[in-house]
Amino acid sequence: MQQVVIATHNQGKMEEFKVLLEALGLDFCCLNDFPDIPEPEETGKTFAANARLKATYYAKATGRMCLADDSGLEVLSLKGAPGVRSARYAGEEATDEENNELLLANMKMQVRRNCRFFCALAVASPEGKIVVESSGICDGILLHEPHGTNGFGYDPLFWSTELHKPLGEATMEEKNGISHRAKAAKKLVSQWRKMK
């Protein structure tokens, strides 16, 4: 069975991807299995550019096929911020709570709270060639305070217009039906199968 590295240290994201990509019948591992590989600097101006950068870097470093994603929250009133800086919005080592607090502080005076999660996926061969790419969007409204403890990142602040509830209160099954990552993964599975 082919082993594919999912370019993340985040166990929540890893579990999500394993479920979303189950249909491919591949063996997945993550970056926690390669503790000596330093992280690349994410210099891309877009989610897609960062996904490509990480996929090629980790594919070459591990000598295995690698799937990387770059995803984040874009808030209309903040001109798309946090955007590509979503994980580092409140600083390089910021926690989810710190990022959420800063976002709520920056949104205090904003009336329009439309936002979306965007996900770009890229798969690179061990030689560092991009072989599959996809993307997905999940629309929502930014809440005034966190709701629920499910998910990670900005999930507790995100009211899903498809589920009619905060993602922080959604089950993994509900989230995997509508999330930006789920939509991107569905397209990726379809493209990957055509490639075989």
Side-chain angles (χ1 to χ4, degrees), residues 27-41:
D27 177 31
F28 294 105
C29 62
C30 70
L31 295 179
N32 295 336
D33 298 303
F34 304 92
D36 298 330
I37 299 175
E39 290 187 15
E41 199 178 336

PDB file of all heavy atoms in Angstrom, residues 27-41:
ATOM      1  N   ASP A  27      -2.152   4.531   2.633  1.00  0.00           N
ATOM      2  CA  ASP A  27      -1.646   4.545   4.002  1.00  0.00           C
ATOM      3  C   ASP A  27      -1.142   5.957   4.296  1.00  0.00           C
ATOM      4  O   ASP A  27      -0.225   6.442   3.617  1.00  0.00           O
ATOM      5  CB  ASP A  27      -0.504   3.521   4.125  1.00  0.00           C
ATOM      6  CG  ASP A  27       0.128   3.532   5.512  1.00  0.00           C
ATOM      7  OD1 ASP A  27      -0.583   3.824   6.493  1.00  0.00           O
ATOM      8  OD2 ASP A  27       1.340   3.270   5.614  1.00  0.00           O
ATOM      9  N   PHE A  28      -1.760   6.613   5.263  1.00  0.00           N
ATOM     10  CA  PHE A  28      -1.380   7.999   5.553  1.00  0.00           C
ATOM     11  C   PHE A  28      -0.554   8.110   6.827  1.00  0.00           C
ATOM     12  O   PHE A  28      -0.829   7.439   7.819  1.00  0.00           O
ATOM     13  CB  PHE A  28      -2.628   8.881   5.696  1.00  0.00           C
ATOM     14  CG  PHE A  28      -3.399   9.034   4.418  1.00  0.00           C
ATOM     15  CD1 PHE A  28      -4.595   8.358   4.226  1.00  0.00           C
ATOM     16  CD2 PHE A  28      -2.924   9.847   3.404  1.00  0.00           C
ATOM     17  CE1 PHE A  28      -5.315   8.492   3.045  1.00  0.00           C
ATOM     18  CE2 PHE A  28      -3.627   9.982   2.217  1.00  0.00           C
ATOM     19  CZ  PHE A  28      -4.824   9.301   2.030  1.00  0.00           C
ATOM     20  N   CYS A  29       0.455   8.966   6.782  1.00  0.00           N
ATOM     21  CA  CYS A  29       1.205   9.319   7.989  1.00  0.00           C
ATOM     22  C   CYS A  29       1.317  10.842   7.989  1.00  0.00           C
ATOM     23  O   CYS A  29       0.905  11.499   7.028  1.00  0.00           O
ATOM     24  CB  CYS A  29       2.583   8.649   7.995  1.00  0.00           C
ATOM     25  SG  CYS A  29       3.656   9.160   6.631  1.00  0.00           S
ATOM     26  N   CYS A  30       1.842  11.420   9.067  1.00  0.00           N
ATOM     27  CA  CYS A  30       1.963  12.887   9.111  1.00  0.00           C
ATOM     28  C   CYS A  30       3.372  13.306   9.512  1.00  0.00           C
ATOM     29  O   CYS A  30       4.249  12.463   9.719  1.00  0.00           O
ATOM     30  CB  CYS A  30       0.900  13.484  10.025  1.00  0.00           C
ATOM     31  SG  CYS A  30       1.148  13.156  11.775  1.00  0.00           S
ATOM     32  N   LEU A  31       3.579  14.585   9.655  1.00  0.00           N
ATOM     33  CA  LEU A  31       4.917  15.114   9.919  1.00  0.00           C
ATOM     34  C   LEU A  31       5.454  14.745  11.300  1.00  0.00           C
ATOM     35  O   LEU A  31       6.655  14.837  11.534  1.00  0.00           O
ATOM     36  CB  LEU A  31       4.931  16.644   9.751  1.00  0.00           C
ATOM     37  CG  LEU A  31       4.650  17.138   8.327  1.00  0.00           C
ATOM     38  CD1 LEU A  31       4.665  18.654   8.283  1.00  0.00           C
ATOM     39  CD2 LEU A  31       5.670  16.569   7.335  1.00  0.00           C
ATOM     40  N   ASN A  32       4.556  14.306  12.200  1.00  0.00           N
ATOM     41  CA  ASN A  32       5.028  13.855  13.513  1.00  0.00           C
ATOM     42  C   ASN A  32       5.919  12.621  13.367  1.00  0.00           C
ATOM     43  O   ASN A  32       6.712  12.309  14.252  1.00  0.00           O
ATOM     44  CB  ASN A  32       3.845  13.535  14.437  1.00  0.00           C
ATOM     45  CG  ASN A  32       3.033  14.781  14.748  1.00  0.00           C
ATOM     46  OD1 ASN A  32       3.538  15.895  14.668  1.00  0.00           O
ATOM     47  ND2 ASN A  32       1.773  14.610  15.084  1.00  0.00           N
ATOM     48  N   ASP A  33       5.805  11.915  12.227  1.00  0.00           N
ATOM     49  CA  ASP A  33       6.651  10.751  11.951  1.00  0.00           C
ATOM     50  C   ASP A  33       8.022  11.156  11.407  1.00  0.00           C
ATOM     51  O   ASP A  33       8.881  10.299  11.211  1.00  0.00           O
ATOM     52  CB  ASP A  33       5.956   9.819  10.947  1.00  0.00           C
ATOM     53  CG  ASP A  33       4.642   9.276  11.497  1.00  0.00           C
ATOM     54  OD1 ASP A  33       4.660   8.649  12.571  1.00  0.00           O
ATOM     55  OD2 ASP A  33       3.591   9.495  10.858  1.00  0.00           O
ATOM     56  N   PHE A  34       8.197  12.453  11.137  1.00  0.00           N
ATOM     57  CA  PHE A  34       9.466  12.963  10.611  1.00  0.00           C
ATOM     58  C   PHE A  34       9.911  14.184  11.430  1.00  0.00           C
ATOM     59  O   PHE A  34       9.965  15.306  10.918  1.00  0.00           O
ATOM     60  CB  PHE A  34       9.320  13.355   9.131  1.00  0.00           C
ATOM     61  CG  PHE A  34       8.816  12.240   8.262  1.00  0.00           C
ATOM     62  CD1 PHE A  34       7.450  12.092   8.017  1.00  0.00           C
ATOM     63  CD2 PHE A  34       9.692  11.326   7.701  1.00  0.00           C
ATOM     64  CE1 PHE A  34       6.973  11.063   7.221  1.00  0.00           C
ATOM     65  CE2 PHE A  34       9.230  10.285   6.900  1.00  0.00           C
ATOM     66  CZ  PHE A  34       7.861  10.153   6.659  1.00  0.00           C
ATOM     67  N   PRO A  35      10.204  13.979  12.716  1.00  0.00           N
ATOM     68  CA  PRO A  35      10.467  15.111  13.611  1.00  0.00           C
ATOM     69  C   PRO A  35      11.707  15.941  13.270  1.00  0.00           C
ATOM     70  O   PRO A  35      11.823  17.087  13.704  1.00  0.00           O
ATOM     71  CB  PRO A  35      10.618  14.453  14.989  1.00  0.00           C
ATOM     72  CG  PRO A  35      10.967  13.034  14.697  1.00  0.00           C
ATOM     73  CD  PRO A  35      10.333  12.686  13.398  1.00  0.00           C
ATOM     74  N   ASP A  36      12.624  15.383  12.477  1.00  0.00           N
ATOM     75  CA  ASP A  36      13.877  16.109  12.188  1.00  0.00           C
ATOM     76  C   ASP A  36      13.789  17.045  10.987  1.00  0.00           C
ATOM     77  O   ASP A  36      14.738  17.775  10.697  1.00  0.00           O
ATOM     78  CB  ASP A  36      15.027  15.103  11.963  1.00  0.00           C
ATOM     79  CG  ASP A  36      15.284  14.251  13.206  1.00  0.00           C
ATOM     80  OD1 ASP A  36      15.040  14.763  14.326  1.00  0.00           O
ATOM     81  OD2 ASP A  36      15.696  13.092  13.054  1.00  0.00           O
ATOM     82  N   ILE A  37      12.662  17.020  10.292  1.00  0.00           N
ATOM     83  CA  ILE A  37      12.540  17.889   9.114  1.00  0.00           C
ATOM     84  C   ILE A  37      12.058  19.275   9.551  1.00  0.00           C
ATOM     85  O   ILE A  37      10.982  19.415  10.123  1.00  0.00           O
ATOM     86  CB  ILE A  37      11.549  17.300   8.076  1.00  0.00           C
ATOM     87  CG1 ILE A  37      12.051  15.935   7.587  1.00  0.00           C
ATOM     88  CG2 ILE A  37      11.369  18.258   6.898  1.00  0.00           C
ATOM     89  CD1 ILE A  37      11.093  15.216   6.653  1.00  0.00           C
ATOM     90  N   PRO A  38      12.865  20.317   9.287  1.00  0.00           N
ATOM     91  CA  PRO A  38      12.428  21.672   9.674  1.00  0.00           C
ATOM     92  C   PRO A  38      11.283  22.148   8.783  1.00  0.00           C
ATOM     93  O   PRO A  38      11.129  21.675   7.658  1.00  0.00           O
ATOM     94  CB  PRO A  38      13.687  22.530   9.448  1.00  0.00           C
ATOM     95  CG  PRO A  38      14.511  21.757   8.462  1.00  0.00           C
ATOM     96  CD  PRO A  38      14.181  20.306   8.647  1.00  0.00           C
ATOM     97  N   GLU A  39      10.497  23.055   9.308  1.00  0.00           N
ATOM     98  CA  GLU A  39       9.365  23.582   8.535  1.00  0.00           C
ATOM     99  C   GLU A  39       9.857  24.599   7.514  1.00  0.00           C
ATOM    100  O   GLU A  39      10.748  25.397   7.808  1.00  0.00           O
ATOM    101  CB  GLU A  39       8.339  24.238   9.462  1.00  0.00           C
ATOM    102  CG  GLU A  39       7.597  23.236  10.320  1.00  0.00           C
ATOM    103  CD  GLU A  39       6.472  23.870  11.123  1.00  0.00           C
ATOM    104  OE1 GLU A  39       6.085  25.012  10.814  1.00  0.00           O
ATOM    105  OE2 GLU A  39       5.992  23.214  12.064  1.00  0.00           O
ATOM    106  N   PRO A  40       9.270  24.614   6.320  1.00  0.00           N
ATOM    107  CA  PRO A  40       9.648  25.634   5.335  1.00  0.00           C
ATOM    108  C   PRO A  40       8.984  26.959   5.679  1.00  0.00           C
ATOM    109  O   PRO A  40       7.976  26.984   6.387  1.00  0.00           O
ATOM    110  CB  PRO A  40       9.089  25.074   4.021  1.00  0.00           C
ATOM    111  CG  PRO A  40       7.873  24.318   4.458  1.00  0.00           C
ATOM    112  CD  PRO A  40       8.207  23.729   5.807  1.00  0.00           C
ATOM    113  N   GLU A  41       9.536  28.028   5.160  1.00  0.00           N
ATOM    114  CA  GLU A  41       8.905  29.328   5.365  1.00  0.00           C
ATOM    115  C   GLU A  41       7.770  29.461   4.352  1.00  0.00           C
ATOM    116  O   GLU A  41       7.959  29.227   3.154  1.00  0.00           O
ATOM    117  CB  GLU A  41       9.925  30.453   5.135  1.00  0.00           C
ATOM    118  CG  GLU A  41       9.501  31.757   5.757  1.00  0.00           C
ATOM    119  CD  GLU A  41      10.545  32.851   5.552  1.00  0.00           C
ATOM    120  OE1 GLU A  41      11.721  32.547   5.352  1.00  0.00           O
ATOM    121  OE2 GLU A  41      10.125  34.023   5.589  1.00  0.00           O
TER     122      GLU A  41
END
